Amino acid sequence: MAEFAVSLVVEKLTNLLAMQAAYLDGVSQKIVQLRNELRWMQSFLKDADMKQEEDELMQQWVSDVRDVAYDTEEVIETYVSRAASQKPFDLVTKPFYHYKVGRKIESIRSRIREITGRRETYGGLGNGRSGGEGAAANDRLRWWRQPSPHVEEDDIIELVEDTKALLTQLTSMESRRRVVSIVGMGGLGKTTLAKRLYNHNDVKNHFDCRAWIYVSKEYRRKEILQGIITDVNAVNRDEMEVLEKLKEEVLLKKLHEFLEERRYLVVLDDVWSMEVWDCLENAFPSGKTGSKVMVTTRNKEVALHADGGGIPHEPRILTEDESLKLFCKKAFHGMKSLPPELKKLGRDMIVRCGGLPLAVVVLGGLLSRKIKSTEEWHRVLRNITWHLTKGQDRIAAILALSYNDLPSHLKSCFLYLGLFPEDVSVQTRKLIHLWVAEGFLPQEGEETAEGVAEKCLTELIDRCMIQVGRLSSLGRVKTVRIHDLLRDLAISQGRKQIFLEIHHRNKAESTECISIKSRRHAIHSRHDQYTFLKHFAPHLRSLLFFNREYNVDVARKIMKVCFRFEKKLNVIYKNFKLLRVLDLEGVRVVSLPDTIGSLIQLRYLGLRKTNLEEELPLSIGNLQNLQTLDLRYSCFLKRIPNVIWKLVHLRHLLLYTPFDSPDSWHLKMDTLCNLQSLPYIEAGSWIDDGGLANMTNLRQLGIDGLSREQVTSVISTMEKLQDLQSLSLLLVSALEMFPTLTGLSHCEHLQKLCFYGKMEKLPDPQEFPPSLIKLTLYNSQLQRDSITKLERLPNLEMLVLGEGSYNLRDMTFSSESFPKLEILRLHLLKELEEWTVEERAMPKLKHLVINRCEKLKRIPDGLKLATSLKELEIVGMPVEFEYRLRTKDFMEFKHTPSIKSTTDMLAIGLGSHQNVGWPEAQFS
């Protein structure tokens, strides 16, 4: 982390010297010297960061380096902030201020020299509390994972489906050697599951020889090869003595030759890197038909690298009942249920384990040694986090391994998730915008910061540090979650690194135990005052509110209450001049003061779901470093001031509010060449005045209230927007009509299209964007020949035919149409009575939604032959339609899909109904 902190400061100083030289008159030379010294120190830090967990002296040295990096950032950002807001009469004090800043820089340089000298004095700081404890910890981990001939029955809950699926893979008879992978977070039970399979009778009988090797991060290739050779009995007793003396190449050849004539199973437990597989792969021949290597790992990339054609198996977490069963086995040595007086306390503790088998086992083992009384269990429950993460170093060590293996920038990304409340689903787009605003991400060639952030998110998912929450229709990760124990790890490490702090109402007023140097603070509850935050002002860079005051007394908009609330937030606008992130989502803010414009370092301003009224202050135009401005769902905001053009670094402008978005048609936009996301804006003169043409980095665009002529202008500009991926266009009224849309074929990266309004003529298939995968149409009034055009779109995966898009009584999908369509949604097609689907139409259809197509009589016979259909959602359809679907039609499906419905099934005696959500809004 210190290495990353220093690298960020070095990068900032370099950018500062290049881009803001006008502000640095008088101190630029000192900044160059400071940057060079930090850059030199940076070269030692990567190794130091890795060693600090085992060495107290190294830990202190790294902490000192991190502090000096943060102090450097503070001095420079304070100077730039003051210089940027300097007025003419300040020129009198300018020389004195330069002298003062110069002294501060010299003081920091002196500290750097002192820290460097300390490192040299102690011989690289490698002689502290090192080796012994680190080696002991590694030995403990190795001992915990030793393969035994039998798995402790008290330590497992048999996951029948997981075991069955993996047994099928292990005993399959492919001609070439395959790799079976078990992937998941630390403590999920990967090794326990692998042991159970390894000792399963079917596995023992299937293979001629087996070997189990614990690899770990600190692996040695020679030891692994020797271990496999020993386990599979590749050498006789006489040769065992010379095994130690053989070179690696000889060992590899001997093992390869032995396995070549046998059906073998080799388990590589706890593999951390692709490099491990690369150095061992040649030892594993195809052997006899059905040979396997089984790998357990926390990193999905490792599994896919070992066998790109395989599907890594990810064991699920335990249900609450399964957790309770395992807990009882450990706490009461085989009992199947808890005593009545301990049942509620036990369940409350089990919930905190989050279905993680290791946590359940440790908790059960702890309580097995405690008195079985409510008082004693209450005491454990009150300190459950400590018991699970610190009281038993087995859990702490196993989870910390994953954290310590992360590169520096991924550590920052992971720790950031500790700011979010427990059990919350985190919106990935918001998280990505926050990471970019914080400056966590390394530059990767021409890739955008958002692109790098998406890769970081994917890597954290692949490393099982975070979990996928909700997916979009097309498979994009929309939300992520973090396991409670990993969140606890993020918070403890974040506090240790002065990275973050969290305020709850019962703790916030006392700041004695909180480092005043903490960089990021999250508010998790409502407070009468926020003056306690003043203590952190010089160091605070990010402030995020999660108290959701928006939901409290929204209807009671009494001026006195609102005014009092406005006043208690003034401490933020007045004191935190160096804030990069301010997220007020859900906070009951009625207006922003002009002083918001003094926060010139802001990169992210979140005002979503606030009670902002009328208009933002003009001073919002002073936030020239702002990258994200989020005003979505601010229902009372009427107008955006025409100062947005001043925000030249703006990347994401988010304005959409259902039914009553703030006026935006008047905005000047021609300076926003860095804009990437503009999912909603009203049509205006900015389209023809160069605003749209200059947005050459746009990825997402949605425009409401368009005339026919403006649509023509937008389409003619598309050639300049080569990075555009999503486009939504809404006509101003039902009297307007879309012109012929022939200019879209040049948009090679355009994947999503949405049109609200009557179509004069649907483009021919070759006139659509070549990469189009999602098409949404409303009020289009399509003719029959339009369906023929749509079904020939070669890459279309999702089609939404909304209200008014098709007003004829019959519709036909012909044979071999829609070759890649996976999702089809029919919404409010009020005239549709007969829908014909010919054989082999939509061969890949997985999900079908029929929503309030009230005249439609029945499901097409052609759909009953589909083998790919997994889910059928019926929303607001007549009872007769669904009765037929669940009786006659249901029996005729060749492959029965899951059926979800909002119809009142009690009315026809077929059970209860399920609720189905509305489709995702186009502009949110």
Side-chain angles (χ1 to χ4, degrees):
M1 286 295 291
E3 180 217 355
F4 192 58
V6 172
S7 67
L8 280 180
V9 173
V10 168
E11 186 178 344
K12 282 182 182 179
L13 294 180
T14 301
N15 293 339
L16 193 66
L17 290 163
M19 301 177 66
Q20 298 188 342
Y23 296 142
L24 305 180
D25 181 33
V27 294
S28 58
Q29 188 57 40
K30 293 182 184 296
I31 291 176
V32 169
Q33 294 168 345
L34 179 58
R35 180 199 60 185
N36 293 342
E37 289 176 3
L38 283 170
R39 186 178 281 166
W40 182 84
M41 182 177 281
Q42 190 181 347
S43 61
F44 296 100
L45 275 170
K46 189 168 187 178
D47 186 53
D49 261 343
M50 288 190 291
K51 290 180 180 176
Q52 63 169 319
E53 295 299 321
E54 304 167 4
D55 190 327
E56 285 182 351
L57 283 175
M58 187 70 78
Q59 207 170 58
Q60 184 59 51
W61 187 79
V62 168
S63 176
D64 291 344
V65 173
R66 183 188 61 238
D67 288 347
V68 84
Y70 285 157
D71 290 347
T72 300
E73 180 185 52
E74 184 181 321
V75 168
I76 301 305
E77 287 189 350
T78 302
Y79 174 80
V80 171
S81 182
R82 175 161 176 169
S85 59
Q86 205 169 53
K87 297 178 175 61
F89 58 81
D90 291 328
L91 296 176
V92 178
T93 62
K94 188 176 180 181
F96 172 74
Y97 190 61
H98 280 169
Y99 172 75
K100 189 177 177 181
V101 172
R103 289 289 300 271
K104 287 183 178 180
I105 292 174
E106 280 302 320
S107 174
I108 289 173
R109 291 183 64 200
S110 176
R111 285 169 61 193
I112 290 174
R113 287 191 288 271
E114 180 187 337
I115 292 168
T116 303
R118 204 180 312 144
R119 179 184 178 279
E120 293 169 354
T121 300
Y122 291 102
L125 299 175
N127 303 316
R129 185 175 61 93
S130 59
E133 290 205 12
N138 284 336
D139 287 343
R140 284 198 299 274
L141 285 172
R142 186 176 294 275
W143 177 76
W144 288 330
R145 307 180 76 98
Q146 281 298 315
S148 56
H150 304 288
V151 182
E152 287 281 345
E153 289 297 323
D154 282 354
D155 284 359
I156 64 168
I157 287 291
E158 185 173 4
L159 301 178
V160 177
E161 292 178 5
D162 293 86
T163 304
K164 184 178 179 182
L166 286 165
L167 271 176
T168 300
Q169 287 191 54
L170 286 173
T171 56
S172 63
M173 297 294 286
E174 290 100 331
S175 58
R176 67 181 183 89
R177 180 264 300 145
R178 298 302 302 267
V179 179
V180 176
S181 299
I182 305 176
V183 179
M185 66 178 285
L188 189 59
K190 301 181 297 297
T191 298
T192 303
L193 179 58
K195 284 181 183 178
R196 190 172 185 84
L197 291 161
Y198 185 78
N199 293 308
H200 198 284
N201 284 333
D202 289 355
V203 170
K204 288 179 180 178
N205 296 331
H206 183 75
F207 295 101
D208 300 329
C209 58
R210 297 172 301 140
W212 180 292
I213 298 296
Y214 169 57
V215 179
S216 84
K217 289 174 69 176
E218 310 299 329
Y219 74 96
R220 293 179 180 84
R221 185 190 188 204
K222 186 173 183 178
E223 289 181 5
I224 291 173
L225 293 171
Q226 289 170 340
I228 299 173
I229 287 172
T230 301
D231 275 8
V232 299
N233 297 316
V235 293
N236 57 42
R237 215 173 261 181
D238 295 336
E239 293 176 304
M240 289 287 289
E241 295 179 7
V242 298
L243 204 59
E244 276 288 338
K245 300 173 184 177
L246 296 178
K247 292 182 179 179
E248 288 182 18
E249 290 73 20
V250 177
L251 290 170
L252 191 144
K253 184 180 179 184
K254 184 179 283 289
L255 178 59
H256 185 279
E257 289 173 351
F258 180 82
L259 296 178
E260 205 163 22
E261 302 300 321
R262 292 164 176 81
R263 181 181 300 129
Y264 62 87
L265 169 65
V266 175
V267 179
L268 301 176
D269 181 35
D270 199 27
V271 179
W272 283 82
S273 68
M274 292 182 277
E275 177 189 288
V276 174
W277 180 253
D278 291 339
C279 76
L280 293 175
E281 181 179 13
N282 290 337
F284 306 129
S286 286
K288 285 171 67 175
T289 301
S291 291
K292 300 291 191 303
V293 176
M294 183 158 62
V295 171
T296 71
T297 179
R298 305 183 190 196
N299 193 336
K300 194 173 184 180
E301 280 191 355
V302 170
L304 293 173
H305 180 72
D307 190 338
I311 301 175
H313 184 85
E314 301 181 46
R316 60 174 176 82
I317 60 173
L318 301 179
T319 65
E320 190 174 323
D321 287 341
E322 289 169 340
S323 296
L324 191 62
K325 184 178 178 183
L326 179 58
F327 174 72
C328 288
K329 283 184 175 183
K330 294 299 292 182
F332 294 95
H333 300 295
M335 284 179 59
K336 293 186 178 180
S337 62
L338 295 174
E341 70 275 12
L342 298 176
K343 189 166 288 187
K344 185 178 185 306
L345 285 168
R347 282 195 176 274
D348 288 345
M349 284 189 271
I350 285 300
V351 167
R352 295 302 305 273
C353 294
L356 196 67
L358 177 63
V360 177
V361 168
V362 169
L363 182 64
L366 170 70
L367 289 170
S368 71
R369 302 187 296 274
K370 301 281 185 182
I371 298 171
K372 306 300 189 290
S373 69
T374 55
E375 293 80 8
E376 188 65 29
W377 280 38
H378 265 299
R379 192 175 294 115
V380 173
L381 179 59
R382 283 195 296 271
N383 298 286
I384 189 74
T385 299
W386 187 90
H387 284 297
L388 289 177
T389 58
K390 299 182 179 67
Q392 296 279 343
D393 70 345
R394 182 176 177 182
I395 292 183
I398 285 175
L399 295 181
L401 277 174
S402 294
Y403 170 75
N404 292 331
D405 189 57
L406 296 174
S408 293
H409 66 281
L410 278 185
K411 284 181 179 175
S412 294
C413 292
F414 170 73
L415 293 184
Y416 206 81
L417 286 154
L419 290 165
F420 290 82
E422 191 174 22
D423 296 326
V424 74
S425 291
V426 182
Q427 298 287 333
T428 55
R429 281 187 178 168
K430 176 175 180 175
L431 183 62
I432 284 170
H433 296 167
L434 287 167
W435 283 349
V436 172
E438 293 281 1
F440 290 155
L441 310 165
Q443 184 64 45
E444 293 187 6
E446 298 299 313
E447 182 68 271
T448 65
E450 287 78 5
V452 176
E454 287 191 21
K455 290 180 182 177
C456 291
L457 185 75
T458 300
E459 188 165 355
L460 285 174
I461 292 170
D462 286 347
R463 286 172 175 263
C464 302
M465 298 297 285
I466 56 178
Q467 303 160 352
V468 173
R470 194 158 55 95
L471 295 173
S472 71
S473 302
L474 294 172
R476 182 181 68 83
V477 179
K478 295 193 72 172
T479 65
V480 292
R481 302 172 67 87
I482 182 170
H483 192 281
D484 289 349
L485 293 178
L486 282 171
R487 178 177 176 269
D488 291 337
L489 175 68
I491 292 171
S492 63
Q493 285 287 343
R495 284 176 171 151
K496 182 178 174 183
Q497 303 285 346
I498 62 171
F499 183 92
L500 60 78
E501 189 53 65
I502 296 170
H503 298 274
H504 298 278
R505 190 182 185 92
N506 58 345
K507 302 176 185 176
E509 274 63 49
S510 173
T511 58
E512 294 176 6
C513 300
I514 298 174
S515 170
I516 63 168
K517 291 188 174 183
S518 187
R519 316 289 282 181
R520 296 162 193 88
H521 290 241
I523 311 296
H524 282 194
S525 56
R526 297 177 66 202
H527 299 271
D528 296 328
Q529 296 291 331
Y530 291 105
T531 51
F532 66 88
L533 290 171
K534 272 187 180 181
H535 301 282
F536 311 105
H539 309 284
L540 198 62
R541 293 297 180 275
S542 302
L543 183 59
L544 297 90
F545 284 77
F546 296 101
N547 52 339
R548 295 294 182 269
E549 292 181 306
Y550 176 81
N551 295 319
V552 182
D553 299 332
V554 169
R556 294 173 51 220
K557 296 191 63 194
I558 302 170
M559 286 304 297
K560 184 177 179 181
V561 175
C562 294
F563 179 69
R564 190 187 308 134
F565 188 79
E566 301 302 314
K567 285 184 68 177
K568 71 178 183 179
L569 285 178
N570 282 345
V571 64
I572 298 170
Y573 312 127
K574 290 178 180 177
N575 294 280
F576 303 141
K577 304 298 184 185
L578 301 182
L579 271 185
R580 296 175 68 92
V581 170
L582 177 59
D583 186 18
L584 296 169
E585 179 177 343
V587 176
R588 196 172 59 231
V589 178
V590 174
S591 65
L592 294 178
D594 287 336
T595 48
I596 188 74
S598 64
L599 305 181
I600 65 170
Q601 297 290 345
L602 268 188
R603 268 68 173 175
Y604 183 101
L605 179 56
L607 299 169
R608 188 182 188 202
K609 293 185 179 178
T610 55
N611 285 6
L612 285 171
E613 294 182 345
E614 301 304 326
E615 190 169 352
L616 296 176
L618 292 173
S619 63
I620 208 87
N622 295 341
L623 307 179
Q624 295 183 28
N625 289 306
L626 198 65
Q627 297 173 350
T628 298
L629 177 58
D630 189 352
L631 293 162
R632 289 172 295 173
Y633 301 95
S634 295
C635 301
F636 307 112
L637 190 64
K638 300 302 180 188
R639 186 178 172 89
I640 311 295
N642 193 16
V643 293
I644 298 297
W645 62 271
K646 296 181 180 180
L647 311 180
V648 294
H649 291 106
L650 199 63
R651 303 163 81 94
H652 311 284
L653 179 57
L654 311 173
L655 304 175
Y656 178 71
T657 297
F659 310 116
D660 194 17
S661 296
D663 290 345
S664 54
W665 56 267
H666 61 290
L667 296 178
K668 179 184 176 185
M669 310 279 282
D670 59 317
T671 58
L672 304 183
C673 57
N674 291 301
L675 203 62
Q676 296 180 23
S677 303
L678 187 60
Y680 177 89
I681 190 170
E682 294 174 334
S685 60
W686 60 271
I687 294 174
D688 295 311
D689 290 348
L692 184 58
N694 288 341
M695 298 178 190
T696 53
N697 287 297
L698 264 186
R699 267 70 173 168
Q700 184 183 18
L701 174 64
I703 309 177
D704 190 11
L706 287 156
S707 67
R708 180 187 177 96
E709 292 74 21
Q710 287 172 322
V711 173
T712 301
S713 294
V714 171
I715 299 300
S716 66
T717 310
M718 288 295 100
E719 283 190 53
K720 297 180 181 178
L721 309 183
Q722 286 300 308
D723 292 323
L724 194 66
Q725 297 172 3
S726 174
L727 175 65
S728 299
L729 303 178
L730 281 78
L731 295 180
V732 68
S733 75
L735 299 176
E736 292 284 351
M737 184 183 293
F738 278 105
T740 304
L741 304 171
T742 56
L744 294 173
S745 59
H746 302 293
C747 305
E748 294 183 2
H749 297 104
L750 192 55
Q751 296 182 323
K752 300 178 184 179
L753 275 177
C754 176
F755 296 119
Y756 281 67
K758 187 176 180 181
M759 288 277 184
E760 182 178 65
K761 176 179 177 290
L762 194 71
D764 291 328
Q766 68 274 13
E767 294 174 329
F768 277 96
S771 301
L772 186 67
I773 60 174
K774 179 180 178 181
L775 178 62
T776 302
L777 299 171
Y778 278 83
N779 300 321
S780 309
Q781 299 182 30
L782 300 176
Q783 300 302 308
R784 286 188 180 84
D785 68 325
S786 297
I787 300 299
T788 305
K789 292 179 180 181
L790 293 176
E791 62 187 18
R792 288 160 52 202
L793 292 172
N795 297 307
L796 193 66
E797 296 178 14
M798 180 174 178
L799 175 63
V800 179
L801 294 178
E803 184 176 12
S805 62
Y806 189 85
N807 295 330
L808 303 177
R809 68 172 299 277
D810 60 277
M811 179 170 68
T812 300
F813 287 4
S814 60
S815 178
E816 300 183 354
S817 61
F818 298 107
K820 290 190 177 180
L821 195 70
E822 296 184 1
I823 301 167
L824 175 63
R825 292 180 174 171
L826 307 179
H827 294 299
L828 288 159
L829 302 185
K830 295 180 180 179
E831 302 302 321
L832 184 63
E833 297 180 25
E834 296 289 340
W835 178 27
T836 302
V837 174
E838 296 181 357
E839 192 174 352
R840 296 193 302 278
M842 302 183 289
K844 295 188 176 181
L845 187 68
K846 295 178 180 177
H847 189 105
L848 171 64
V849 179
I850 303 176
N851 179 2
R852 294 180 177 86
C853 301
E854 295 171 359
K855 292 185 179 180
L856 186 62
K857 298 173 182 175
R858 59 192 179 88
I859 288 288
D861 290 336
L863 278 178
K864 299 173 188 175
L865 302 174
T867 57
S868 60
L869 187 61
K870 299 289 190 294
E871 193 168 68
L872 175 58
E873 291 188 22
I874 306 300
V875 183
M877 294 295 287
V879 169
E880 295 78 10
F881 177 94
E882 183 150 356
Y883 182 79
R884 177 183 174 121
L885 171 64
R886 291 185 177 269
T887 53
K888 183 178 185 300
D889 291 341
F890 190 79
M891 301 298 293
E892 294 174 358
F893 274 102
K894 186 175 181 180
H895 179 81
T896 308
S898 166
I899 298 177
K900 295 184 178 181
S901 171
T902 60
T903 304
D904 185 1
M905 295 309 297
L906 293 175
I908 52 175
L910 289 175
S912 61
H913 64 275
Q914 285 182 276
N915 289 323
V916 179
W918 283 87
E920 174 186 359
Q922 294 296 322
F923 300 111
S924 58

